[in-house]
């Protein structure tokens, strides 16, 4: 779907910062864009988010979780994404279907095909035009965040799960090369931002007025 851009990455890769930078870039350059996120992003979808992320809901099954993400996704599409695209805006969504592939499909082990079938019903034609994937392994992310102490906590939280999530992203990115824009966020956050803007210019999402601006 034209002008529908999603951002993906595992925990701790600096995705929130990059979303904020992109928003500031759009404001500064008068680019008509809407920034939203999953799970949530609209009233009912936020209510579903609370149920999914509530730490008290420990007994929630993996399949139920996958359906709730898909349900929130469908509602959010109808409430926010579709109307904004119809108005000719660019929509940036922080997490989307690839989070379900990575976390539910690979992390929880429901499998790629299961997540695909379920989500086809939820998203219909709303596949992103491009997906920006911040490609940093959990090990790199946690070392960057402050080394051993944080790495230990990741281990407690289940580093195996995050390894599977990361491998899941890599697998999907490999299968959908045309849609994925892979960015390695190994430099400073400003360098990463520049890489993203450059890629979006190259793809024709952002105007490229380099020649005029200097
Ligand atoms: P959030 O606090 O928004 O995390 P982040 O800042 O990392 O985006 O929590 C979202 C969590 O939901 C995150 O751990 C990934 C997970 N998630 C899934 O497991 N499946 C999905 O389809 C989506 C959209 C998110």
């Amino acid at each position: 779907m034209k002008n529908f851009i999603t951002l993906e990455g595992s925990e701790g890769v600096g995705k929130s910062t990059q979303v904020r930078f992109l928003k500031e870039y759009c404001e500064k350059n008068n680019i008509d864009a809407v920034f939203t996120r999953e799970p949530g992003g609209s009233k009912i979808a936020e209510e579903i988010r609370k149920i999914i992320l509530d730490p008290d809901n420990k007994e929630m099954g993996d399949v139920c979780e996958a359906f709730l993400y898909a349900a929130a996704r469908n509602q959010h599409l109808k409430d926010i994404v579709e109307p904004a695209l119809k108005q000719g805006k660019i929509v940036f969504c922080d997490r989307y279907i690839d989070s379900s592939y990575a976390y539910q499909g690979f992390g929880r082990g429901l499998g790629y095909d299961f997540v695909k079938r379920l989500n086809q019903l939820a998203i219909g034609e709303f596949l992103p035009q491009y997906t920006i994937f911040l490609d940093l392994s959990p090990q790199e992310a946690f070392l960057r965040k402050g080394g051993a102490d944080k790495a230990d906590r990741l281990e407690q939280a289940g580093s195996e799960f995050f390894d599977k999530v990361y491998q899941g992203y890599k697998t999907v990115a490999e299968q959908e090369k045309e849609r994925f824009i892979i960015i390695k966020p190994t430099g400073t956050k400003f360098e990463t931002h520049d890489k993203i803007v450059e890629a979006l210019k190259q793809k024709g999402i952002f105007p490229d007025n380099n020649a005029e601006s200097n």
Side-chain angles (χ1 to χ4, degrees):
M1 181 67 51
K2 195 168 177 299
N3 284 338
F4 182 27
I5 316 294
T6 59
L7 294 108
E8 296 281 354
S10 333
E11 251 85 352
V13 300
K15 188 164 51 64
S16 318
T17 306
Q18 292 307 324
V19 171
R20 185 160 49 81
F21 283 0
L22 265 182
K23 192 162 188 253
E24 287 166 8
Y25 179 90
C26 289
E27 283 163 6
K28 235 191 263 161
N29 292 279
N30 290 318
I31 295 168
D32 204 1
V34 166
F35 283 77
T36 188
R37 66 141 189 208
E38 278 201 3
S42 74
K43 184 174 167 289
I44 295 170
E46 286 290 334
E47 283 173 28
I48 301 173
R49 175 190 172 94
K50 279 188 211 143
I51 299 171
I52 303 173
L53 298 180
D54 184 344
D56 280 346
N57 286 339
K58 282 192 192 70
E59 63 275 28
M60 184 182 291
D62 296 344
V63 172
C64 174
E65 184 192 61
F67 270 83
L68 288 179
Y69 278 117
R73 180 159 299 137
N74 176 271
Q75 185 69 37
H76 174 248
L77 276 174
K78 178 169 135 356
D79 291 341
I80 306 287
V81 179
E82 188 171 8
L85 290 173
K86 274 204 177 128
Q87 289 167 25
K89 297 177 191 212
I90 303 171
V91 176
F92 287 98
C93 188
D94 182 353
R95 297 197 179 281
Y96 192 62
I97 187 171
D98 302 299
S99 285
S100 283
Y101 281 131
Y103 286 78
Q104 281 65 56
F106 290 83
R108 302 275 191 229
L110 291 178
Y112 177 84
D113 291 339
F114 180 94
V115 173
K116 184 165 188 169
R117 277 168 62 203
L118 169 59
N119 275 274
Q120 260 167 357
L121 297 172
I123 72 168
E125 61 191 328
F126 286 90
L127 197 66
Q129 185 181 7
Y130 294 112
T131 295
I132 298 165
F133 170 48
L134 296 179
D135 180 357
L136 204 64
S137 73
Q139 287 78 10
E140 289 170 305
F142 280 83
L143 282 175
R144 194 177 65 171
K145 276 224 158 163
D149 174 43
K150 293 268 168 78
D152 286 350
R153 271 193 278 147
L154 173 70
E155 256 143 47
Q156 283 168 14
S159 72
E160 213 183 291
F161 175 77
F162 288 105
D163 283 343
K164 286 189 204 153
V165 168
Y166 178 63
Q167 287 313 322
Y169 272 127
K170 302 281 279 184
T171 305
V172 181
E174 188 56 39
Q175 274 178 23
E176 299 201 45
K177 283 204 177 91
E178 252 129 79
R179 176 162 67 86
F180 270 76
I181 298 172
I182 299 176
I183 305 277
K184 277 237 138 229
T186 41
T188 68
K189 55 189 173 185
F190 306 107
E191 285 164 352
T192 301
H193 171 66
D194 290 345
K195 282 190 205 167
I196 294 174
V197 168
E198 208 37 58
L200 289 171
K201 282 181 180 171
Q202 264 182 29
K203 300 284 186 194
I205 300 296
F206 282 169
D208 189 358
N209 355 324
N210 239 358
E212 292 157 21
S213 65
N214 284 316

